[in-house]
Amino acid sequence: MTSPVTKNAGNIVIDYEPESYRRETQEFFHQLPRYAKEYTVGLFPIATWIHRYNLHWLVQDLIAGLTVGVVIVPQSMGYAKIAQLPPQYGLYTAFVGLCVYCLFATSKDISIGPTAVMSLLVGQAVLKAAVTHPNVTPQEIAYALSLITGAIAMAMGLIRLGILVDFIPGPAIAGFMTGSAITICIGQWPKLFGIKGINTQDSPYLIFGNFFKNLPKTKVDVAFGLTGLLWLYGIRYICQVLSKRYPKHARHLFFFSILRNGILVIFGTLIAFLLNINKDESPISILKTVPSGFQAMGVPYLSGDIISAISGSIPSGVIILVLEHVAIAKSFGRINDYSIDPNQEVIAIGFTNIWASFFGAYPSTGSFSRTAIKARSGVKTPIAGIFSALVVILALYALTPAFYYIPDATLAAVVIHAVSDLVSGPAYIKRLAKISLWELLVFVVGVVVTVFTNVENGIYASLGLSIAILLVRIARPRFWALGRIALTQPQAAGSDADDSVSGENNQNYLYVPKNHPSLGKLVENLPDGIMMVRVDESFTYPNSGFISDTVIQYCKEHTRRFQTSLSKGDRAWNDDANPVKDALRAQLPLLHAVIFDFACVNRLDSSGLQAIVDIQNALNRYAGHHVEFHFVNISHPAIRRSLIVAGFGSQPRQGLDDNPEALCETGEILPIVPASHDGPIQRQASHSPSDQSFDEEKTDDSAYSISSITLPRDRYPFFHWSADEAVRAAVQSSAYRTESDSSDYQDNQATPQH
């Protein structure tokens, strides 16, 4: 809590009341019933809006639901084939996802069901299990993956671990999704051309080579496949062009464009049926028997063999389940101006997959293409998913006899058309390269590893590289040595330049890095003996050593040692200085003060605090006197409190304080090894405020309801609200500095402390 203090002149002095953990604990338990109620209600977001449901929303949801239903039926059967499962399992997966999700949803747009990437992962898990555990069926792999990944995801959501999603960057997701899409597309080529004998679960480069090797074996299926692709892409392109030319009919053209999948399957099935009249064997590859209804319902059975067979795919399955869903939900939330709750979405996708395992379904998550269609159709609430589920029910119970003649080439065309939109094209790559080459590397690694091995390795490689880059950025933050540029002072109307107040105390400056690409030529150094630095990261244990070494090195490079010549006996064992170097640096000033710009520092842990203490101790020895440390733009009271604990709020000020003992070095803040009683005596950090006093008078907040205030001042003279104020404070104490301070420092260090 902030406690402002004023003087008669109107100055505001800032201090903070100490935190009371007891009060915070009492407040937490006082609010616990409210938190519990909010948590429980939050598990069922439908309760917050269902009472506002109206006829207009119903019509829009019905249209959107039926539209998505027409698309999901052929897609789900095609995706089931990718998952090495019979086509009806795709319909089971689609139904449960569409039906259950609305109870827990915080996104109105997202459509749950089988997806390309998850289907590819399940397919690879099934093939791997066929080798290692031949007694485990593909169906057991499917529902076991759905149950376990769903349970893990739901547990993550319940204990609010959705934050883990934020550690996975967009380029990593785009990388393995692009790689998966390329893998699926190439894997569908043999079906598209009716070529037999190619293992479509090989790596894409092998499928690519074998495809062209067996191209002369192309069957009549190619007529269905290529014609289907031409129809799908052609209708979409024509409808987009006509929508721009005739905006009044854009909505009708959109719905006609969405129907292109259903129209293709209907006409492809009809032609295939006609080709098979009076024939014992079909001239083309067709889907054949699809059982009606839910034939795989039951309590999921898990055995040691089943768990062992899928254990390697569980981590990547959870990652895809959560990442793909939350990423799509966030994206469409931004597009349509609403926010989603990642934790609740993880709960929703987890419960959906747990429930789906009782229907024999395999893992489902949010689909990008169907979500885009649903949003474009004008959906109003998540209830639209129920209408899509009714379409799937209709297909399962009434249309399965017609599915017998669906050409595999037609389904391959539908799958290729659907997953091609997941590929991040040249425009994305070019834009990413301009933003960050490291993120481009993450994207490329995700694509390459997925294409040349499998989707699991692609996920692990891209995520591992992303985390490594994040850790390196934390451990090796940017360091800036700051200079300043004088700002033009506005003159009052009718005043003469000679009458204006000039000098250091009235000149304002812009503080920028000395190597700034645009302003670097205008930057001037700070007054002699004063350094200002900025680190673009929190001061924490991964980077404390690097920051300490960098600041010390920078200060030593731009100032001189307090004693130009040392005897061999007095020189430290690790001091590589020599008379030649010292002579070249003789004209440099002695170090007086270091100003830290803490604008980018959000955390300061014990290691970071100790690093600052170590910097000051090292520079004190180098300069031969106490080097003042000033801090600007401290962003949080906890950081300020830590600095006070270490004694930085009450440092000795040259010419203003007379406390020789304070010149001794501060020891470790939190020593890992307890200090020896026989070791060096070190100054303990002072917790008391500076001797500088103000006429303190607490006032209420109403006293500060004016439109502007003077620059606030901190109770401690080494914490500042502006860089100009910090420099002026350092210059003021620097005026008292003399060369004799060095000998005083040495005398003080040699005097035993009692």
Side-chain angles (χ1 to χ4, degrees):
M1 183 180 295
T2 304
S3 179
V5 184
T6 64
K7 289 181 64 177
N8 294 334
N11 293 333
I12 300 176
V13 180
I14 301 297
D15 197 4
Y16 299 92
E17 294 182 3
E19 289 186 355
S20 173
Y21 295 108
R22 179 180 180 182
R23 184 172 64 247
E24 291 182 359
T25 303
Q26 291 175 342
E27 179 65 19
F28 171 78
F29 282 105
H30 178 70
Q31 298 291 338
L32 189 58
R34 182 174 65 86
Y35 295 152
K37 180 181 178 181
E38 291 177 354
Y39 179 85
T40 305
V41 173
L43 294 177
F44 300 95
I46 190 173
T48 63
W49 54 264
I50 191 64
H51 59 278
R52 298 194 304 271
Y53 203 78
N54 54 63
L55 182 61
H56 176 71
W57 288 4
L58 175 63
V59 172
Q60 291 297 113
D61 287 345
L62 178 63
I63 294 172
L66 296 178
T67 304
V68 171
V70 171
V71 174
I72 199 173
V73 170
Q75 274 190 8
S76 60
M77 291 190 290
Y79 287 154
K81 303 282 278 186
I82 296 173
Q84 304 298 306
L85 294 168
Q88 64 268 24
Y89 282 83
L91 295 173
Y92 301 160
T93 304
F95 168 76
V96 181
L98 293 168
C99 193
V100 175
Y101 172 71
C102 67
L103 298 175
F104 306 93
T106 60
S107 170
K108 70 180 180 65
D109 297 302
I110 201 163
S111 176
I112 306 296
T115 64
V117 180
M118 183 59 78
S119 300
L120 180 62
L121 177 68
V122 173
Q124 292 175 347
V126 167
L127 292 175
K128 190 186 301 181
V131 176
T132 59
H133 297 80
N135 58 321
V136 179
T137 66
Q139 290 82 356
E140 290 174 331
I141 296 291
Y143 70 66
L145 265 177
S146 181
L147 176 62
I148 295 177
T149 57
I152 294 174
M154 187 169 182
M156 289 174 57
L158 289 173
I159 60 178
R160 297 302 189 247
L161 289 181
I163 188 176
L164 295 177
V165 178
D166 297 333
F167 286 92
I168 303 174
I173 302 173
F176 70 73
M177 288 183 67
T178 297
S180 300
I182 294 173
T183 300
I184 292 170
C185 285
I186 295 178
Q188 295 297 310
W189 287 0
K191 293 182 181 180
L192 197 71
F193 283 73
I195 300 174
K196 306 291 186 181
I198 298 178
N199 183 3
T200 57
Q201 294 302 316
D202 280 338
S203 296
Y205 70 94
L206 293 176
I207 301 175
F208 186 85
N210 291 330
F211 170 76
F212 285 100
K213 181 180 178 180
N214 292 277
L215 195 59
K217 299 180 181 179
T218 299
K219 305 294 184 182
V220 70
D221 301 65
V222 69
F224 289 85
L226 294 183
T227 303
L229 280 180
L230 181 64
W231 164 264
L232 292 172
Y233 283 103
I235 292 298
R236 184 171 71 177
Y237 175 76
I238 291 172
C239 289
Q240 288 175 349
V241 172
L242 292 177
S243 296
K244 294 178 180 178
R245 182 172 297 182
Y246 305 105
K248 293 182 179 180
H249 303 286
R251 186 169 178 80
H252 300 89
L253 290 168
F254 164 73
F255 285 112
F256 177 75
S257 175
I258 296 305
L259 292 175
R260 65 187 183 275
N261 289 280
I263 294 173
L264 173 64
V265 172
I266 291 172
F267 278 93
T269 304
L270 178 60
I271 295 172
F273 171 75
L274 296 176
L275 288 176
N276 280 276
I277 293 178
N278 299 325
K279 287 187 174 63
D280 295 331
E281 186 176 348
S282 175
I284 62 173
S285 178
I286 56 177
L287 199 59
K288 296 187 177 178
T289 303
V290 177
S292 63
F294 294 96
Q295 303 293 326
M297 289 184 66
V299 178
Y301 170 72
L302 295 179
S303 65
D305 286 343
I306 295 176
I307 296 176
S308 176
I310 66 172
S311 58
S313 301
I314 290 175
S316 53
V318 174
I319 291 172
I320 293 176
L321 202 71
V322 174
L323 270 189
E324 197 171 0
H325 180 87
V326 174
I328 294 172
K330 283 184 175 180
S331 176
F332 280 88
R334 288 191 295 266
I335 292 172
N336 295 315
D337 194 26
Y338 65 87
S339 60
I340 62 119
D341 181 354
N343 290 304
Q344 182 59 32
E345 289 298 319
V346 174
I347 293 174
I349 200 65
F351 182 84
T352 298
N353 281 278
I354 292 173
W355 189 251
S357 65
F358 290 84
F359 287 77
Y362 68 90
S364 60
T365 186
S367 165
F368 176 78
S369 60
R370 295 193 298 272
T371 299
I373 292 171
K374 191 176 177 183
R376 182 82 181 274
S377 300
V379 65
K380 292 298 183 182
T381 72
I383 285 181
I386 294 178
F387 300 116
S388 299
L390 293 177
V391 176
V392 177
I393 287 286
L394 177 66
L396 269 171
Y397 282 96
L399 301 180
T400 48
F403 292 162
Y404 184 93
Y405 293 102
I406 295 178
D408 284 337
T410 299
L411 283 183
V414 170
V415 169
I416 291 174
H417 180 64
V419 302
S420 61
D421 290 336
L422 299 179
V423 176
S424 299
Y428 175 86
I429 297 174
K430 187 182 297 183
R431 192 179 305 115
L432 185 60
K434 292 180 179 178
I435 296 172
S436 172
L437 291 177
W438 284 113
E439 290 190 304
L440 177 63
L441 177 62
V442 170
F443 172 80
V444 171
V445 167
V447 173
V448 172
V449 175
T450 301
V451 168
F452 284 91
T453 58
N454 55 52
V455 65
E456 289 182 33
N457 292 339
I459 292 171
Y460 297 146
S462 59
L463 296 191
L465 181 58
S466 300
I467 293 173
I469 292 173
L470 175 64
L471 293 177
V472 169
R473 285 174 173 169
I474 294 173
R476 294 295 180 267
R478 291 190 180 100
F479 172 84
W480 305 106
L482 302 184
R484 63 183 185 179
I485 303 173
L487 298 176
T488 303
Q489 297 298 307
Q491 298 293 330
S495 66
D496 198 315
D498 293 336
D499 298 332
S500 63
V501 180
S502 60
E504 180 75 23
N505 290 338
N506 297 291
Q507 175 66 55
N508 292 325
Y509 295 88
L510 176 66
Y511 294 84
V512 297
K514 292 182 178 180
N515 59 350
H516 192 281
S518 300
L519 302 175
K521 295 180 180 179
L522 304 175
V523 173
E524 63 182 46
N525 291 324
L526 272 64
D528 288 346
I530 300 175
M531 303 290 162
M532 182 180 293
V533 297
R534 177 193 298 154
V535 178
D536 288 352
E537 188 56 69
S538 295
F539 277 42
T540 51
Y541 66 92
N543 59 30
S544 57
F546 170 77
I547 294 173
S548 175
D549 294 341
T550 305
V551 173
I552 292 172
Q553 180 182 357
Y554 168 71
C555 292
K556 287 184 176 181
E557 287 177 353
H558 294 81
T559 58
R560 61 182 169 87
R561 186 190 303 275
F562 76 96
Q563 190 170 345
T564 56
S565 61
L566 289 173
S567 66
K568 292 183 179 180
D570 292 336
R571 180 170 296 157
W573 67 272
N574 59 346
D575 186 356
D576 61 350
N578 57 66
V580 177
K581 289 183 179 179
D582 288 340
L584 294 175
R585 302 159 63 85
Q587 302 302 318
L588 295 176
L590 279 172
L591 181 62
H592 169 68
V594 179
I595 302 172
F596 289 87
D597 186 347
F598 265 34
C600 299
V601 178
N602 297 313
R603 291 287 186 274
L604 178 64
D605 66 4
S606 60
S607 298
L609 186 62
Q610 184 63 53
I612 301 176
V613 171
D614 294 341
I615 295 171
Q616 189 173 57
N617 290 340
L619 295 179
N620 285 350
R621 292 191 293 268
Y622 179 78
H625 54 239
H626 175 77
V627 176
E628 294 181 358
F629 274 24
H630 295 260
F631 300 88
V632 182
N633 300 322
I634 298 176
S635 59
H636 195 277
I639 298 176
R640 177 179 178 273
R641 185 170 60 251
S642 298
L643 293 172
I644 294 172
V645 168
F648 289 107
S650 52
Q651 305 171 61
R653 294 173 298 165
Q654 189 66 30
L656 300 176
D657 291 330
D658 185 15
N659 186 8
E661 186 176 345
L663 296 175
C664 296
E665 295 179 355
T666 302
E668 291 187 88
I669 305 301
L670 293 171
I672 300 174
V673 179
S676 172
H677 293 288
D678 297 324
I681 298 177
Q682 298 174 321
R683 176 173 67 92
Q684 297 299 315
S686 173
H687 298 254
S688 61
S690 149
D691 290 337
Q692 179 177 357
S693 60
F694 300 98
D695 237 352
E696 300 184 355
E697 180 185 354
K698 291 190 176 181
T699 60
D700 57 25
D701 293 340
S702 62
Y704 303 102
S705 60
I706 55 177
S707 59
S708 63
I709 61 174
T710 59
L711 181 67
R713 300 174 62 187
D714 198 283
R715 185 181 181 186
Y716 295 88
F718 296 95
F719 304 149
H720 308 277
W721 288 72
S722 79
D724 282 329
E725 179 192 359
V727 173
R728 290 165 189 158
V731 169
Q732 180 186 11
S733 60
S734 176
Y736 296 97
R737 181 75 70 191
T738 64
E739 292 293 337
S740 61
D741 293 337
S742 299
S743 59
D744 293 341
Y745 176 84
Q746 289 178 300
D747 293 340
N748 183 69
Q749 291 292 328
T751 303
Q753 305 295 326
H754 300 285

